Amino acid sequence: IERLCSSPLHENISTALDKHLESIRVVQARRKDEIVNVSSRQRHGPPRCQDERVVLALAVALRALCLATRKVRTALWCAFQMTPPK
C-alpha cells in the first residue's frame, strides 16, 4: 500500500499489523501447549487443573487475536482509503 500512495503510512497501521502478527504467534504457541498437554495426559493420567489452565490461556489468546483482527481490518481499510486511485 505504501508503494501505491508513494509515502509512508501512519504508524498506527504498522503497529496494528505488528500486534496482529504477535497475536497469531501467541495463539499458535498456546495451541502447541494444549496439544503437548493432551498427549502427555494420555500417557500419565488426567491432571485436570493443568488442563483447565492451558485451555483458559488458549481462550485468552483467541480473544486477543479477535480484537487484534478487528483493529487490523479497520487499519487496513483506512490505509486503503488513503491510497489515491490511478
Side-chain angles (χ1 to χ4, degrees), residues 26-68:
V26 169
V27 168
Q28 288 174 336
R30 297 297 176 256
R31 180 67 177 129
K32 188 176 181 181
D33 292 344
E34 182 189 23
I35 291 169
V36 167
N37 192 20
V38 167
S39 66
S40 68
R41 190 182 88 202
Q42 289 175 350
R43 289 186 217 138
H44 296 82
R48 295 291 298 181
C49 187
Q50 183 118 9
D51 255 1
E52 292 172 2
R53 281 188 238 152
V54 171
V55 172
L56 285 175
L58 179 61
V60 168
L62 284 171
R63 178 175 167 78
L65 177 62
C66 181
L67 294 173

